[in-house]
Amino acid sequence: KRERIADLLFRRETDGDGNPRGIGLSIWRFYLSAGTAEQGGESGIGNPWRRGECFQNGDGTYDWTKLAGQQWFLRAARDRGVERLLAFPNAPPVHLSKNGKGYANRGDIHLNVKPGCLDDYANYLVDIMEHFEKEGLPFDYLSPVNEPQWNWDGPGQEGTPALNEEIYALVRYLSHGLSNRGLKTRIVIGEAGSIGHAAITMASLGMASDGRDDQA
């Protein structure tokens, strides 16, 4: 079944009658989840389909057998000619978060990372980029923050808010880490919850401007 699904997603050639074998996606996104699956019910996220494994264990070691389904489709995408691969987290690993959760505390609009651990978070992301490059599956892009304008402060799914200045600091750590290891992965900055947050100051629309808008 997954071979057939991969064909439908990734193949570009046509059959003998000229019908496309698939939709020929040009980019495939790989989700670096935060470890709420290992927490189970203790994660606070009631829907198990919205929990996710984390490559890094709490002691800093790695288990590269995790996210097996995603890894299978990553290889299937590359084998079928998908041009670009992108990795993205919604939240830091739970063992690096301030509250031990895959989502933020109510009303806290800051990046959910323990004080003094921003470089550890960046190193974790760079470690993953390096691992997959060695596996022959280099990521073209890393998008380190997902829709930071939303608070992600409830147990619906993994996520974290982040101020622009926090994104800036994280990106500097990532940039140095990727460069120092000679990795070609490029950082996608400014992934936003709306085009308004990416492009303008929300105060110009009569809305709150709290350090998470005017990203460009």
Side-chain angles (χ1 to χ4, degrees):
K1 287 181 180 178
R2 65 186 183 182
E3 291 280 0
R4 178 62 178 143
I5 291 169
D7 286 344
L8 291 171
L9 289 171
F10 306 134
R11 289 219 178 275
R12 297 185 176 185
E13 68 271 18
T14 56
D15 62 19
D17 296 323
N19 300 308
R21 295 187 183 277
I23 61 175
L25 294 179
S26 60
I27 189 167
W28 186 246
R29 300 174 78 216
F30 187 100
Y31 177 44
L32 303 174
S33 42
T36 54
E38 289 88 337
Q39 290 181 315
E42 296 298 317
S43 68
I45 299 175
N47 186 345
W49 289 95
R50 294 197 165 206
R51 304 171 192 157
E53 295 178 331
C54 184
F55 283 127
Q56 190 180 64
N57 302 311
D59 61 3
T61 60
Y62 287 89
D63 182 351
W64 300 113
T65 67
K66 292 182 179 180
L67 301 172
Q70 283 210 81
Q71 292 198 60
W72 190 93
F73 272 94
L74 186 70
R75 288 181 171 84
R78 180 49 53 88
D79 290 345
R80 287 164 173 78
V82 173
E83 299 170 4
R84 298 286 183 266
L85 302 177
L86 179 148
F88 74 104
N90 279 354
V94 292
H95 57 272
L96 293 179
S97 69
K98 289 183 290 188
N99 60 0
K101 300 290 185 182
Y103 52 90
N105 289 328
R106 184 72 64 184
D108 185 354
I109 65 172
H110 292 275
L111 184 64
N112 188 22
V113 174
K114 290 178 182 177
C117 288
L118 192 61
D119 56 341
D120 294 321
Y121 181 34
N123 285 332
Y124 150 82
L125 293 171
V126 175
D127 285 345
I128 295 173
M129 298 301 98
E130 184 176 46
H131 168 79
F132 280 98
E133 182 159 315
K134 290 179 178 178
E135 290 286 302
L137 292 163
F139 282 100
D140 301 276
Y141 306 112
L142 172 63
S143 179
V145 181
N146 181 69
E147 298 185 355
Q149 292 78 21
W150 315 142
N151 289 346
W152 304 114
D153 57 359
Q157 68 169 73
E158 296 181 348
T160 181
L163 302 181
N164 288 348
E165 63 187 75
E166 295 167 335
I167 298 172
Y168 173 82
L170 175 60
V171 165
R172 283 184 62 86
Y173 278 124
L174 287 171
S175 180
H176 286 303
L178 293 168
S179 297
N180 289 342
R181 301 197 205 181
L183 302 175
K184 296 181 180 179
T185 302
R186 303 178 70 181
I187 306 169
V188 179
I189 312 170
E191 204 283 340
S194 77
I195 192 170
H197 286 101
I200 62 176
T201 300
M202 298 305 286
S204 65
L205 301 178
M207 301 170 65
S209 181
D210 58 7
R212 296 184 285 177
D213 57 356
D214 197 20
Q215 289 182 321

